[in-house]
Amino acid sequence: MNTDELFPLYIIISVVVFLFFMFFLFIQLYLKAKKENIGGCCSTDEKSTPKFKGNDDHLS
């Protein structure tokens, strides 16, 4: 088999790999957006609480 016979196979494999990574990235971004409720219709009722309380006494 010379390279002329394998060239269409390289193109097909490249396209399949590219589509697989695009699908994988889409799923990752979709799950992240769903977790953070970006672009959603419903607002979350959770109020964000700070992880630490700021103490400004040391600044003055």
Side-chain angles (χ1 to χ4, degrees):
M1 294 181 82
N2 57 12
T3 57
D4 293 337
E5 295 173 356
L6 292 176
F7 188 67
L9 184 64
Y10 292 149
I11 293 176
I12 292 172
I13 290 173
S14 300
V15 169
V16 168
V17 169
F18 176 75
L19 291 176
F20 172 74
F21 280 116
M22 288 297 109
F23 181 74
F24 178 75
L25 288 175
F26 174 76
I27 293 296
Q28 292 296 317
L29 290 174
Y30 173 76
L31 292 176
K32 183 177 180 182
K34 188 175 180 182
K35 180 180 177 184
E36 295 177 1
N37 199 20
I38 296 174
C41 65
C42 309
S43 62
T44 57
D45 292 330
E46 292 183 26
K47 294 182 179 178
S48 60
T49 56
K51 293 182 180 179
F52 59 89
K53 292 184 178 180
N55 188 358
D56 294 333
D57 292 339
H58 65 280
L59 296 176
S60 55

